[in-house]
Amino acid sequence: MSSVHGSLVTHPHQCLCTACRQHTPHQDGSSSIVQQPAHVICQGASLVLPSPPVRQRSQQLQQHLEKLQDKVDQQRYAAMVADVTQQEQKAAAAAQDPFFPTTKLQISFGLHVLATMGAFSALGYYAGRLLLNNNAWAAVLGALGLAAGLLLETTLLIIRT
């Protein structure tokens, strides 16, 4: 960007300053320096900047960017066709968890299993107290009632699906 005049190094702003100063001769033989504004001197000139160097991207980065772009494209497409494919989306969600797709169904089934196991446990305990008149055997029959209730619920779940 700098130029060399003899042994002096001049910079672009120095060249602009010297261009702004013009010697104007007068009729009496003397000369004076007239300074022109910079915008008058630069009028019609264009500013040319060097283009920045092209950065090379690694293969990993390229692959990662492609995956991200594909993901964004899929999300945009899904948003565009969301109103058309509502039934398909519900079916796909149900296919992921065919037994209990919602939290409400999961909680209700869990409470149902607990109620059934509790009822069978109480039935086994009271049957053991009534028939055998022994607390130890009544507890054993209560535990067997728990197992029977769990087995019944598992069998019903298998049959339902």
Side-chain angles (χ1 to χ4, degrees), residues 92-120:
Q96 283 182 338
D97 190 12
F99 300 120
F100 306 107
T102 64
T103 305
K104 181 180 176 183
L105 288 175
Q106 293 170 358
I107 291 174
S108 67
F109 180 74
L111 290 175
H112 184 265
V113 168
L114 288 176
T116 304
M117 288 175 62
F120 272 69

Side-chain angles (χ1 to χ4, degrees), residues 42-53:
C42 296
Q43 193 173 19
S46 62
L47 183 63
V48 179
L49 297 174
S51 61

